[in-house]
Amino acid sequence: MKALIIAAGNGERINHITDGKPKPLLDVLGLTLIERAILSAKKAGINEFVIVLGYKGRAIKKYLGSGEKHNVKIEYVYNREWKKENGVSVLKAEKAVGETFVLLMSDHIFDYRILQNLIKKSRSKCILCVDRSPDAYIDMEDATKVRTDGKKIIDIGKDIKKYDAVDCGIFLLNKEIFKAIKESVKRGETSLSAAVKILAKNNKIEVFDIKNLFWLDVDTKKDYVQAKKLLLKNLIKQTDGPVSRHINRKVSTALTKLFLKTNTSPDTISLISLFLSVISCHFFVLGNYFSVILGGIMAQLSSIIDGCDGEVARLKFKETKSGAFFDAVLDRYADTLIIFGMVYGFWTLTGNLLVWIAGFFALSGTLINSYTSDKYKAEFCKPFVSRKMPVGRDARCFIIMIGAFLNQVFYTIVLLSIFTHIENLRRAGFVKLKNLNPGGIKKKI
Amino acid sequence: MKALIIAAGNGERINHITDGKPKPLLDVLGLTLIERAILSAKKAGINEFVIVLGYKGRAIKKYLGSGEKHNVKIEYVYNREWKKENGVSVLKAEKAVGETFVLLMSDHIFDYRILQNLIKKSRSKCILCVDRSPDAYIDMEDATKVRTDGKKIIDIGKDIKKYDAVDCGIFLLNKEIFKAIKESVKRGETSLSAAVKILAKNNKIEVFDIKNLFWLDVDTKKDYVQAKKLLLKNLIKQTDGPVSRHINRKVSTALTKLFLKTNTSPDTISLISLFLSVISCHFFVLGNYFSVILGGIMAQLSSIIDGCDGEVARLKFKETKSGAFFDAVLDRYADTLIIFGMVYGFWTLTGNLLVWIAGFFALSGTLINSYTSDKYKAEFCKPFVSRKMPVGRDARCFIIMIGAFLNQVFYTIVLLSIFTHIENLRRAGFVKLKNLNPGGIKKKI
């Protein structure tokens, strides 16, 4: 299935911040708006695109080319009448798209899962994605409102008074849309909404609720600022521990913006994080209070930057399994080095041999801690999520920093040792108990 | 879909070893023959069974009941004419099965993947599973031979001279089979093969090649011995390291037979393996040469018995994800304890503090070693298999035992440390390099 992307308009309300480029080429956290549309669709499983160009179309075509850079196929259609409303742009692509296709706007950002869910739907009717509870940042004055009755559309337009949903600018369409546009153009109406109204009258379109997934039409500078906020907010992962969620992500997303500007690759960031752990180890080995504090700060910084590689990868649609694997292996070495530094430094300073025993079990607890969560994912093919006592790398590094500030290296190691092992045993028990009754008779085949 | 299992015959050639029980109730490594058929089918996704009883049918029904014990549904059909050939038994079940069904023999053992593959096939025709290259242990004199032309059956029977395949006794059938049996019974032929011949003549049956998967018809004592061998041989896993493959499995399968006799649960075996590691740790802590040797032997024994929990689980169709998780977490604690014992024992004996540093990195390398292989599985949803330098728990424990015999605890720890870390870095590099080009444009949706 192809995706049709409308990139013909002149985006006059935002042109003052685009440096003379057309709006689809506006950079939002390392990717242009239109690249975000393309790569979101690609992540949802779509690899062929038709882009309708108009205002400054040549610049867009020059920038995207045939799509090779993003490993997709792009065709272009020109709409000389781009000053008319967007229905005309869709009509120009009639011959370029197949029986059914997805329609996207080049200036909307959205969660790729909206599209992923949409293309699973039956393709017998056209479908318009709607948001039934739009967030406060959606500009309701400019939004296309929809009045629905269940899945049916009763009315649609920017100026209707009664409505219960907002048009998200994401469609699953078939050839019926072209008939409808032609009909509405004859009547002198060139907007897509006018055509949708005709489809609705003939019972040829339904709405699809996007639920709580995000989308945003980037029309103004305010929207642009909001778009960046939204994308960063959506980097928080379900598996994030409390320290990561409430502290690290706030710093890491700020750093991620920097990494995006300098075009640093996720793997390089993983290596920077490991390097900070090496420095942390070095400071801990020195053993004196001042060094220990620096060691603690470096450990926490390493943990924070450890979040950036994934953030950059997700924001640039460059997430790879091998990248995640590489990062995870480096993290385990970072863990090893930091604990080794603490043990070695404390031992040379005090000669207390107990720290080796405590360190041995802190290391074991720490590594088995990571092991259990990934072993769980390996066996059950879903991440281990538990809100009760989520002990991950974020919590461990944070505790190490606090311990360093308090100059309590030994007790920090003992604490790490105790609480990682308790968590590991809890996980083993949790999995055993939860799976004592693995469900009744399986479904029929 | 239901599976029809024929359990009506009297198995006269094997009755001298069944203790007066009917052949389907013959115990083969902890499960009766008919339970193996049921549980293999269940593993392939079938949960409803119809069993045709005849000779000593009451004993079979009493043993299996309604299937609750195995979480399946079992119905029974009686065939008073069980002295006739097996076509009659199939016919008796006409009303109990659905439009299409699987037909199995209660005295055949087989790899469940044969059935898993079979039920994915188109159900427009009947299908007979055949073995085109039967292993040497198949009794060719007694086997039902098949002459084929591509997927077509040219001839079938025990006494045909020209043949290129053997009937495995596994079928995917539809209602046509009953018409064919009725027709052949009219002609005075009551065997299933006679009915298959009629189906073949009318182009209503095809053959399906089981490739290299195992099956065996258990008719004689020789077959019975071979069946046990086959089942044990198939416990070797694709991910087994060289020590496991060539040494541990030989011992562990022998021990597994014992565990099956005593009905020990897989989780209990996991705990026994951990307990042996605790003993190993204890002996290593004592530090003198004799204790060190015992410690090494216990470590290796723990590694061997670590294979038994999975073997018992697989042989009894009791494999669970939570069991695998539980076992894996215990293994990491076993690893920790054994290395700790070695380090602590050597240190108290010699006072050499270097052993702590070496031990620290041996522990890290060991745990990250297990981590990488499971992290790989978590990310890529397939096991990490590499024949180049497969370093797993089997190799580590074996090296520890050899080191203990040589009384070289320190160098064993150093060796462990070096080669686990080399392997870990190799894995990280391997995954990165292999995935630099993650394939071209994805398939169309």
Side-chain angles (χ1 to χ4, degrees):
Chain A
M1 189 160 55
K2 289 182 184 179
L4 175 61
I5 303 182
I6 305 301
N10 68 348
E12 51 197 339
R13 287 192 290 156
I14 202 168
N15 277 346
H16 59 292
I17 63 164
T18 62
D19 269 339
K21 285 179 290 189
K23 183 165 73 166
L25 296 188
L26 179 64
D27 183 280
V28 183
L29 296 176
L31 286 174
T32 61
L33 270 175
I34 195 163
E35 282 178 299
R36 295 214 162 272
I38 291 170
L39 293 170
S40 299
K42 189 186 173 200
K43 201 165 174 185
I46 293 174
N47 295 292
E48 292 180 68
F49 295 85
V50 178
I51 299 179
V52 183
L53 301 173
Y55 175 74
K56 291 194 178 173
R58 215 168 300 170
I60 296 173
K61 188 174 175 181
K62 193 179 162 201
Y63 186 83
L64 294 175
S66 61
E68 216 167 74
K69 182 180 159 197
H70 295 302
N71 208 2
V72 296
K73 241 177 91 180
I74 304 180
E75 292 163 77
Y76 297 92
V77 172
Y78 276 92
N79 172 16
R80 283 171 211 285
E81 302 171 85
W82 58 265
K83 283 185 181 164
K84 292 187 182 168
E85 285 183 276
N86 55 4
V88 180
S89 284
V90 175
L91 194 55
K92 298 284 177 191
E94 183 171 7
K95 286 184 184 141
V97 295
E99 269 309 307
T100 57
F101 60 98
V102 160
L103 173 63
L104 304 172
M105 304 299 139
S106 63
D107 56 358
H108 284 37
I109 60 162
F110 59 90
D111 191 317
Y112 79 97
R113 288 171 293 179
I114 296 176
L115 211 50
Q116 204 177 41
N117 296 336
L118 179 66
I119 59 182
K120 277 184 214 149
K121 296 265 138 195
S122 151
R123 296 173 188 180
S124 56
K125 279 189 185 181
C126 291
I127 301 175
L128 164 63
C129 290
V130 296
D131 188 350
R132 292 198 182 276
S133 50
D135 284 284
Y137 53 75
I138 300 285
D139 178 0
M140 287 308 290
E141 206 152 307
D142 188 57
T144 301
K145 290 91 160 170
V146 189
R147 188 172 155 205
T148 67
D149 176 13
K151 285 187 172 180
K152 280 188 186 167
I153 297 174
I154 306 295
D155 201 2
I156 180 168
K158 291 207 174 190
D159 304 315
I160 65 174
K161 291 285 164 278
K162 268 191 167 176
Y163 58 87
D164 51 16
V166 173
D167 169 354
C168 309
I170 301 172
F171 301 76
L172 183 69
L173 297 173
N174 57 37
K175 294 284 186 188
E176 293 292 336
I177 187 69
F178 301 114
K179 288 186 206 163
I181 297 174
K182 283 172 197 164
E183 198 182 320
S184 72
V185 167
K186 262 185 211 160
R187 294 183 198 167
E189 288 184 287
T190 54
S191 77
L192 193 57
S193 298
V196 168
K197 230 187 257 183
I198 292 171
L199 287 177
K201 215 177 65 187
N202 300 328
N203 195 22
K204 285 185 172 158
I205 192 163
E206 281 182 353
V207 297
F208 170 61
D209 185 358
I210 63 160
K211 303 276 167 67
N212 55 354
L213 299 175
F214 81 88
W215 70 283
L216 179 63
D217 179 2
V218 183
D219 278 335
T220 63
K221 190 176 172 187
K222 198 180 141 204
D223 294 335
Y224 170 69
V225 173
Q226 182 60 41
K228 292 201 275 188
K229 262 193 213 163
L230 254 181
L231 291 172
L232 291 174
K233 200 185 125 199
N234 274 280
L235 293 172
I236 293 174
K237 283 159 62 177
Q238 185 201 16
T239 48
D240 273 357
V243 174
S244 181
R245 192 173 289 261
H246 300 296
I247 302 172
N248 295 7
R249 284 286 177 210
K250 292 194 170 68
V251 190
S252 66
T253 48
L255 288 170
T256 286
K257 281 196 236 174
L258 265 174
F259 285 127
L260 286 170
K261 272 187 192 143
T262 54
N263 211 6
T264 316
S265 84
D267 284 346
T268 308
I269 301 172
S270 300
L271 287 168
I272 291 173
S273 169
L274 177 65
F275 183 67
L276 287 171
S277 300
V278 174
I279 296 181
S280 165
C281 172
H282 167 75
F283 280 125
F284 275 123
V285 163
L286 294 180
N288 64 69
Y289 184 32
F290 182 68
S291 301
V292 162
I293 288 179
L294 287 178
I297 292 173
M298 287 298 151
Q300 170 64 4
L301 201 59
S302 152
S303 161
I304 289 172
I305 287 187
D306 183 33
C308 294
D309 45 10
E311 290 173 11
V312 168
R314 288 199 291 288
L315 276 173
K316 298 197 90 173
F317 294 88
K318 280 185 175 172
E319 274 183 292
T320 61
K321 292 172 175 190
S322 62
F325 179 85
F326 187 67
D327 176 37
V329 176
L330 294 192
D331 283 353
R332 301 296 78 76
Y333 277 98
D335 287 338
T336 301
L337 287 171
I338 293 171
I339 297 175
F340 177 76
M342 292 169 77
V343 171
Y344 193 89
F346 187 81
W347 170 62
T348 47
L349 199 76
T350 65
N352 184 346
L353 281 162
L354 272 181
V355 74
W356 279 107
I357 298 175
F360 198 90
F361 286 98
L363 178 68
S364 155
T366 295
L367 295 180
I368 296 179
N369 200 211
S370 303
Y371 180 78
T372 47
S373 73
D374 280 299
K375 180 70 187 174
Y376 186 89
K377 198 177 161 198
E379 290 300 329
F380 294 90
C381 277
K382 61 181 180 189
F384 183 86
V385 180
S386 161
R387 286 284 147 77
K388 271 188 199 155
M389 185 174 138
V391 177
R393 184 156 196 250
D394 59 331
R396 295 195 305 262
C397 287
F398 189 71
I399 287 172
I400 287 171
M401 183 180 68
I402 299 294
F405 270 100
L406 300 175
N407 201 16
Q408 294 297 338
V409 171
F410 181 75
Y411 288 108
T412 304
I413 293 171
V414 171
L415 183 67
L416 270 183
S417 175
I418 292 171
F419 94 143
T420 52
H421 285 296
I422 289 178
E423 171 68 5
N424 296 339
L425 296 177
R426 192 186 72 83
R427 286 181 186 179
F430 171 80
V431 170
K432 277 312 290 176
L433 291 176
K434 200 178 159 197
N435 292 282
L436 277 182
N437 288 311
I441 290 179
K442 276 193 228 158
K443 65 175 186 289
K444 278 192 183 185
I445 53 165
Chain B
M1 189 159 57
K2 290 182 184 179
L4 174 62
I5 303 181
I6 305 301
N10 68 348
E12 51 197 339
R13 288 191 290 155
I14 202 168
N15 277 345
H16 58 292
I17 62 164
T18 62
D19 268 338
K21 285 178 291 189
K23 183 164 74 166
L25 296 188
L26 179 64
D27 182 280
V28 183
L29 296 176
L31 286 173
T32 61
L33 269 175
I34 195 163
E35 282 178 300
R36 294 214 162 272
I38 291 170
L39 292 170
S40 299
K42 189 186 173 202
K43 201 166 174 184
I46 293 173
N47 295 291
E48 292 179 68
F49 296 84
V50 178
I51 299 179
V52 183
L53 301 173
Y55 175 75
K56 292 195 178 173
R58 215 169 300 170
I60 296 173
K61 188 173 175 182
K62 193 178 163 202
Y63 186 82
L64 293 175
S66 61
E68 217 167 74
K69 182 179 158 197
H70 295 302
N71 208 2
V72 296
K73 241 176 89 179
I74 304 179
E75 293 163 77
Y76 297 92
V77 172
Y78 277 91
N79 173 17
R80 283 172 211 284
E81 302 171 85
W82 58 264
K83 283 185 181 164
K84 292 187 182 168
E85 285 184 277
N86 55 4
V88 180
S89 284
V90 176
L91 194 56
K92 298 283 177 192
E94 183 172 7
K95 285 185 185 142
V97 296
E99 268 309 307
T100 57
F101 59 99
V102 160
L103 173 63
L104 303 172
M105 304 300 139
S106 63
D107 57 357
H108 284 37
I109 60 162
F110 59 90
D111 191 317
Y112 78 97
R113 288 171 293 180
I114 296 176
L115 211 49
Q116 205 177 40
N117 297 336
L118 179 66
I119 60 182
K120 278 185 214 150
K121 296 266 140 195
S122 151
R123 295 172 188 181
S124 55
K125 280 189 184 181
C126 292
I127 301 176
L128 163 63
C129 290
V130 297
D131 188 351
R132 291 198 182 277
S133 50
D135 285 284
Y137 53 74
I138 300 285
D139 178 1
M140 287 308 291
E141 206 152 307
D142 188 57
T144 302
K145 291 97 167 164
V146 188
R147 188 172 155 205
T148 67
D149 176 13
K151 286 187 172 179
K152 280 187 185 166
I153 297 175
I154 306 295
D155 201 1
I156 180 168
K158 291 207 174 188
D159 304 315
I160 65 174
K161 291 284 163 278
K162 267 191 168 178
Y163 58 87
D164 52 16
V166 173
D167 170 353
C168 309
I170 301 172
F171 301 75
L172 183 69
L173 297 173
N174 57 38
K175 294 283 187 188
E176 293 292 335
I177 187 69
F178 301 114
K179 289 186 205 163
I181 297 173
K182 284 170 197 166
E183 198 182 320
S184 72
V185 167
K186 263 185 211 161
R187 294 183 198 167
E189 289 185 287
T190 53
S191 77
L192 193 57
S193 298
V196 168
K197 230 187 257 182
I198 292 172
L199 287 177
K201 215 177 65 189
N202 300 328
N203 196 22
K204 285 185 172 158
I205 191 162
E206 281 181 353
V207 297
F208 169 62
D209 185 358
I210 62 160
K211 303 276 166 67
N212 55 354
L213 298 175
F214 81 88
W215 70 282
L216 179 62
D217 178 3
V218 183
D219 278 336
T220 62
K221 189 175 173 189
K222 198 180 142 203
D223 294 334
Y224 169 69
V225 172
Q226 182 60 42
K228 291 202 275 189
K229 261 193 213 165
L230 254 181
L231 290 172
L232 291 174
K233 199 186 125 198
N234 274 280
L235 293 172
I236 293 174
K237 283 160 61 176
Q238 184 201 17
T239 49
D240 273 357
V243 175
S244 181
R245 193 174 289 261
H246 300 297
I247 301 172
N248 295 7
R249 284 286 176 211
K250 293 194 169 68
V251 190
S252 66
T253 47
L255 288 169
T256 286
K257 281 196 236 174
L258 265 175
F259 285 127
L260 287 171
K261 271 186 193 145
T262 53
N263 211 5
T264 315
S265 84
D267 284 345
T268 308
I269 300 172
S270 300
L271 287 168
I272 291 173
S273 169
L274 176 65
F275 182 67
L276 287 172
S277 300
V278 174
I279 296 181
S280 165
C281 172
H282 167 75
F283 280 124
F284 274 123
V285 162
L286 294 180
N288 65 68
Y289 184 33
F290 182 67
S291 301
V292 162
I293 288 179
L294 287 178
I297 292 173
M298 286 299 151
Q300 170 65 4
L301 201 59
S302 152
S303 162
I304 289 172
I305 287 186
D306 183 34
C308 294
D309 45 10
E311 289 173 12
V312 168
R314 288 199 291 288
L315 276 173
K316 297 197 91 173
F317 294 88
K318 280 186 176 172
E319 274 183 292
T320 61
K321 291 171 176 191
S322 62
F325 179 86
F326 187 68
D327 176 37
V329 176
L330 294 192
D331 283 353
R332 301 296 78 76
Y333 277 98
D335 287 338
T336 301
L337 287 171
I338 293 171
I339 297 175
F340 178 77
M342 292 169 77
V343 171
Y344 192 89
F346 187 80
W347 170 62
T348 46
L349 199 76
T350 66
N352 184 347
L353 281 161
L354 272 181
V355 75
W356 279 107
I357 298 175
F360 198 90
F361 287 99
L363 177 68
S364 155
T366 295
L367 294 180
I368 296 179
N369 201 211
S370 303
Y371 180 78
T372 47
S373 72
D374 280 300
K375 179 70 187 173
Y376 186 89
K377 198 177 161 198
E379 290 299 329
F380 294 90
C381 277
K382 60 181 180 189
F384 183 86
V385 180
S386 162
R387 287 284 147 76
K388 271 187 197 156
M389 185 172 138
V391 177
R393 183 154 198 251
D394 59 331
R396 295 195 305 262
C397 287
F398 189 71
I399 287 173
I400 287 171
M401 182 179 69
I402 299 294
F405 270 101
L406 299 175
N407 200 16
Q408 295 296 338
V409 171
F410 181 75
Y411 288 108
T412 304
I413 293 171
V414 171
L415 183 67
L416 270 183
S417 175
I418 292 170
F419 95 143
T420 52
H421 285 296
I422 288 178
E423 172 68 5
N424 296 339
L425 296 177
R426 192 186 73 83
R427 286 181 186 179
F430 171 80
V431 170
K432 277 312 289 175
L433 291 176
K434 200 178 160 197
N435 292 281
L436 278 182
N437 288 310
I441 291 178
K442 276 193 229 157
K443 65 174 185 289
K444 277 193 184 184
I445 52 165

